[in-house]
Amino acid sequence: MQNQNLISELDQLHVHLNDEIDHYDEELDECRILIVDDFEINILVLIEALKSYSKISVSQDSKIAFDSLSYSLPDIVLLDLFMPDMNGFEICKYIKNNEQTSDIPIIFITSEHDPLSLSKAFELGAVDYIKKPFDTIEVNARLRTHLKLKIAERKLKEHNANLEIKVAERTKKLEEKNIELNEVKRETIFRLCLAAEMRDVDTGNHINRIQAYTEVIALKCGMSREEAEQLSLASSMHDLGKIGIPDHILLKPGKLTPEESEIMKQHTVIGARALADGKSDLLRVAHRVALSHHERWDGKGYPQGLRGVNIPIEARIVGLVDVFDALISRRAYKHAFTVDDAIMIILSEKGNHFDPKLVDIFIASLNEIMAIKDMFSYE
């Protein structure tokens, strides 16, 4: 009963599919058909029934037909199940288990009184059957259905392959555009920050060094590459607020008065105000850095007097490398410290000014820090 239901469903499928895929008629003649049957009369009847097709190969020897699959792949196989040497079940199993041939549809040739063989053939992967004795109309209808399905499948694969190529090309262009936009973003931020820094520092190398130092330490702290790169870019905006400090204070060659120092400290608040309410993660990180990079581990920093881990880790990192760079840089109001002296000062402030763990990471990273220092000259 189950086999009869399957046969009935197949018959209905033929009618539906023939209606759906008629537009592939023009490609049918190019399809390669392989007929394998050890009885010559069966082959002759099938050739006559399929005389509208120009590319038909036949074989009465199942072993020869099997060997031919290694150098010539048909689009469809009409396969007798019971043959000497290799039977149709063995050939069907090989075709369906081989990656190069698994998509070849197999229509088997059987007696309508052999439901067990029919069931076994379907289990092995055959798609349809043709009953003996052959009916010309039925043979053509079943073959036509599965060839059109084969064509449709091939076209779908070609379409998907072309689509994948187009998606890859589009993705590549988008990635290139994103890289370009990121470069523009980095350059824009750099130049804006340079405009503020140049009122106090004579070179953009200070920004380059702070960015590079920051990324090294951030990675050693366990940040992801993306997070470290973002913090590196945000670090360039740490002194953005200096653009709001009067020149007579910012550029004063001597020591600032207490009143002037209080005004100078306002650059953290000014920078934070400029970066407040940012919609991007980058601006939110930059806001934390600008506001808190002068806070101290012992709570004696400014502007909020934050202590310990209450200071954002981003600000702790930038604050440390900013002090190091300031120590070994020459300014109008100070000479440049040697690297050894700068390191001694940082070590002496471990647990006071600076996060102790960050100081340890910084000292362990000195080879990389020195390489960055040498790459971006001090003027």
Side-chain angles (χ1 to χ4, degrees):
M1 183 66 180
Q2 184 177 359
N3 289 330
Q4 291 299 323
N5 289 338
L6 179 59
I7 292 171
S8 176
E9 290 175 6
L10 282 170
D11 289 338
Q12 294 176 17
L13 180 64
H14 293 310
V15 175
H16 175 71
L17 290 175
N18 282 329
D19 290 339
E20 291 292 322
I21 54 180
D22 280 342
H23 57 287
Y24 293 132
D25 281 339
E26 65 276 7
E27 298 189 38
L28 289 176
D29 189 52
E30 296 300 315
C31 292
R32 298 177 298 277
I33 302 168
L34 173 61
I35 301 173
V36 186
D37 195 309
D38 58 326
F39 285 99
E40 181 180 8
I41 185 61
N42 289 337
I43 290 178
L44 293 175
V45 172
L46 287 173
I47 289 175
E48 177 61 25
L50 302 173
K51 59 186 177 182
S52 62
Y53 296 91
S54 61
K55 296 182 179 180
I56 299 178
S57 300
V58 301
S59 178
Q60 289 181 252
D61 189 317
S62 58
K63 185 64 170 63
I64 292 176
F66 174 82
D67 292 340
S68 73
L69 294 173
S70 64
Y71 56 84
S72 179
L73 296 181
D75 292 302
I76 196 166
V77 179
L78 303 184
L79 180 64
D80 187 19
L81 289 181
F82 300 103
M83 295 176 288
D85 199 5
M86 289 187 73
N87 62 42
F89 296 115
E90 294 173 301
I91 296 176
C92 181
K93 185 176 181 179
Y94 168 81
I95 290 175
K96 292 304 172 182
N97 289 338
N98 187 305
E99 186 177 350
Q100 292 183 323
T101 59
S102 62
D103 63 343
I104 298 175
I106 299 173
I107 298 178
F108 55 88
I109 301 168
T110 187
S111 166
E112 62 178 328
H113 301 296
D114 190 13
L116 292 179
S117 296
L118 181 152
S119 180
K120 182 178 179 180
F122 278 131
E123 289 175 0
L124 289 173
V127 296
D128 210 340
Y129 71 98
I130 296 175
K131 295 180 294 185
K132 299 176 186 177
F134 303 125
D135 178 275
T136 299
I137 295 176
E138 181 185 25
V139 169
N140 272 283
R142 294 184 183 275
L143 192 76
R144 181 171 175 268
T145 294
H146 292 289
L147 282 177
K148 287 187 174 183
L149 279 174
K150 175 73 174 179
I151 293 168
E153 184 180 275
R154 184 180 71 245
K155 287 183 176 293
L156 180 60
K157 286 182 178 179
E158 291 172 354
H159 173 74
N160 287 341
N162 290 333
L163 188 60
E164 287 179 4
I165 292 172
K166 290 179 180 178
V167 169
E169 290 174 348
R170 181 61 176 164
T171 300
K172 183 180 179 182
K173 288 181 180 178
L174 287 174
E175 288 174 349
E176 291 173 349
K177 191 66 177 176
N178 283 335
I179 291 173
E180 181 183 346
L181 288 173
N182 283 333
E183 287 302 315
V184 170
K185 178 175 69 175
R186 294 183 72 90
E187 184 175 0
T188 301
I189 291 172
F190 178 84
R191 292 184 180 277
L192 286 173
C193 294
L194 184 60
E197 289 284 351
M198 285 184 69
R199 301 177 63 239
D200 181 37
V201 183
D202 293 333
T203 175
N205 278 342
H206 170 66
I207 296 175
N208 289 325
R209 289 191 299 269
I210 293 299
Q211 286 183 327
Y213 294 151
T214 295
E215 185 168 345
V216 167
I217 304 303
L219 288 171
K220 297 290 182 67
C221 286
M223 290 188 185
S224 67
R225 172 63 63 180
E226 182 180 359
E227 290 170 334
E229 289 178 353
Q230 180 172 259
L231 178 55
S232 171
L233 186 55
S235 72
S236 62
M237 295 179 265
H238 71 287
D239 276 343
L240 183 63
K242 285 184 177 179
I243 202 166
I245 303 301
D247 285 351
H248 73 274
I249 296 176
L250 186 68
L251 304 179
K252 184 176 179 179
K255 185 177 180 180
L256 298 180
T257 66
E259 293 78 13
E260 290 171 336
S261 292
E262 290 304 313
I263 293 173
M264 177 65 82
K265 289 178 181 180
Q266 287 302 303
H267 80 275
T268 56
V269 177
I270 295 170
R273 190 181 303 131
L275 296 166
D277 302 320
K279 298 191 184 323
S280 70
D281 288 339
L282 173 63
L283 289 180
R284 285 190 283 269
V285 171
H287 175 267
R288 293 196 289 272
V289 169
L291 180 63
S292 303
H293 69 284
H294 282 292
E295 300 288 357
R296 290 172 51 108
W297 187 255
D298 59 11
K300 297 178 181 179
Y302 64 88
Q304 296 175 299
L306 300 178
R307 178 188 295 269
V309 294
N310 291 324
I311 306 167
I313 181 62
E314 302 94 338
R316 280 180 267 155
I317 293 172
V318 176
L320 173 57
V321 299
D322 186 37
V323 168
F324 172 74
D325 196 67
L327 287 171
I328 61 176
S329 299
R330 179 178 58 81
R331 294 290 184 265
Y333 52 86
K334 63 173 279 293
H335 67 276
F337 286 84
T338 66
V339 171
D340 289 341
D341 287 343
I343 291 173
M344 290 301 297
I345 291 172
I346 288 174
L347 285 171
S348 70
E349 289 295 325
K350 178 180 176 180
N352 296 316
H353 192 146
F354 306 115
D355 179 342
K357 291 183 179 179
L358 286 185
V359 171
D360 291 341
I361 291 172
F362 179 84
I363 297 301
S365 307
L366 277 177
N367 287 339
E368 293 159 276
I369 297 296
M370 291 301 97
I372 293 167
K373 169 187 172 295
D374 294 339
M375 182 184 305
F376 300 107
S377 63
Y378 287 73
E379 297 178 6

